Amino acid sequence: MSVSPDHTPHTVSADGASGNLPRHVAFIMDGNGRWATARSLPRTEGHRQGLETLRSVIRHSGRVGIEVVTIYSFSSENWSRPEAEVSFLMGLLRRFVQRDLSELHKSNVRIRIIGNRADLEPGILALLNEAEDLTKENTGLNLVVAFNYGSRAEIVRAAQSLAEKVAKGELQAGDISETALTEAMDTAGLPDPDLIIRTSGEMRLSNFLLWQAAYSEFYFCDKNWPEFSEADFDKALACFGSRQRRYGGLDAKASL
Ligand code: FPP
């Protein structure tokens, strides 16, 4: 797959819709199983088709000039699914890295992985490390893959790392600030998501980016992930462009 490395942040989207473009869009790619079941297909077919949607979303993000795309690819709770489905998803991740990594690298995409790496199977861990290492100098679209990710666990790990510094005398308890915690998270150095898109009609965060989503805009799409199209993506971007973000303050007009 190829992603245009040429992106101009905060401009007009490819279809001509005006308004501000989000710097960072995060996706909860939901509804693969329902899409497949509705067609009397095995759930795994939904995941396979979901990977096609992911490819199209990455391409489109590069084209319109989004800087960061985060995908919730596998949550720490997803291990409780039937073994066959988990192993299919691991195979899909393997195929994604093996087939798409060199194209993504050529397109100047930088891959970052967030989530708990502690208990990952060595083969999977090696793949994720390879994707990050190969692309670490790239300057185009940032693709953040949330894998074995759970937001509460991420916050706990960040708190533990700060507590260890306090125990060693490297940090005072009073120095623990929002900035310090932000920098201890897996997402350190990334802007917070401006827009979080969830497909399939479900309206919840499901333990995704709880800390980082403090001021995110949410967009819920009724379509299941395998049928989420570039036009649907553009609709979400146009909707974002029309929103007023106040960060707890007032509109410029209202404050006069
Ligand atoms: C949620 O749909 C989707 C997932 C748990 C997996 C998402 C994976 C992909 C989109 C494929 C790309 C994957 C990788 C690893 C790069 P669901 O199965 O919960 O759907 P349901 O709610 O309809 O059952």
Side-chain angles (χ1 to χ4, degrees), residues 137-215:
E137 308 290 346
N138 290 347
T139 54
L141 177 75
N142 287 279
L143 175 63
V144 182
V145 180
F147 185 82
N148 194 25
Y149 179 85
S151 187
R152 287 182 170 182
E154 178 194 27
I155 294 168
V156 168
R157 272 187 277 114
Q160 281 172 346
S161 76
L162 294 176
E164 277 163 20
K165 286 189 181 159
V166 172
K168 284 188 204 152
E170 295 168 8
L171 194 72
Q172 298 297 307
D175 293 335
I176 297 179
S177 59
E178 290 188 17
T179 306
L181 199 52
T182 296
E183 285 168 2
M185 304 290 263
D186 296 354
T187 49
L190 294 167
D192 285 341
D194 300 293
L195 174 63
I196 298 181
I197 298 177
R198 182 170 190 151
T199 55
S200 89
E202 307 288 357
M203 297 185 194
R204 55 179 173 268
L205 259 183
S206 301
N207 205 14
F208 186 49
L209 302 177
L210 302 179
W211 174 263
Q212 299 85 343
Y215 287 103

Side-chain angles (χ1 to χ4, degrees), residues 50-251:
L51 180 55
E52 293 304 322
T53 302
L54 174 60
R55 289 181 171 125
S56 111
V57 157
I58 296 171
R59 270 195 303 270
H60 201 55
S61 301
R63 269 200 299 268
V64 302
I66 290 161
E67 289 176 51
V68 186
V69 167
T70 298
I71 54 163
Y72 204 2
S73 75
F74 194 85
S75 79
S76 34
E77 289 76 32
N78 286 154
W79 295 108
S80 65
R81 292 189 176 204
E83 204 185 314
E85 184 168 341
V86 169
S87 100
F88 184 87
L89 283 166
M90 294 303 129
L92 210 56
L93 177 75
R94 232 176 247 123
R95 277 206 295 283
F96 176 59
V97 175
Q98 283 159 355
R99 286 199 198 152
D100 295 356
L101 182 59
S102 66
E103 271 298 334
L104 290 168
H105 181 44
K106 266 192 242 151
S107 302
N108 201 20
V109 172
R110 180 176 178 187
I111 298 177
R112 281 256 313 250
I113 313 294
I114 58 171
N116 188 0
R117 299 187 197 198
D119 311 314
L120 287 182
E121 191 251 302
I124 293 283
L125 186 60
L127 269 184
L128 300 178
N129 288 337
E130 182 196 342
E132 274 191 333
D133 281 352
L134 180 70
T135 62
K136 64 175 186 262
E137 308 290 346
N138 290 347
T139 54
L141 177 75
N142 287 279
L143 175 63
V144 182
V145 180
F147 185 82
N148 194 25
Y149 179 85
S151 187
R152 287 182 170 182
E154 178 194 27
I155 294 168
V156 168
R157 272 187 277 114
Q160 281 172 346
S161 76
L162 294 176
E164 277 163 20
K165 286 189 181 159
V166 172
K168 284 188 204 152
E170 295 168 8
L171 194 72
Q172 298 297 307
D175 293 335
I176 297 179
S177 59
E178 290 188 17
T179 306
L181 199 52
T182 296
E183 285 168 2
M185 304 290 263
D186 296 354
T187 49
L190 294 167
D192 285 341
D194 300 293
L195 174 63
I196 298 181
I197 298 177
R198 182 170 190 151
T199 55
S200 89
E202 307 288 357
M203 297 185 194
R204 55 179 173 268
L205 259 183
S206 301
N207 205 14
F208 186 49
L209 302 177
L210 302 179
W211 174 263
Q212 299 85 343
Y215 287 103
S216 301
E217 295 291 325
F218 291 87
Y219 183 88
F220 300 103
C221 172
D222 282 339
K223 286 192 185 172
N224 289 318
W225 179 252
E227 55 195 355
F228 182 77
S229 65
E230 289 182 1
D232 295 318
F233 193 177
D234 280 336
K235 229 190 265 177
L237 294 176
C239 180
F240 174 86
S242 70
R243 303 241 182 120
Q244 294 286 328
R245 301 180 81 191
R246 291 188 290 276
Y247 301 96
L250 294 177
D251 282 344

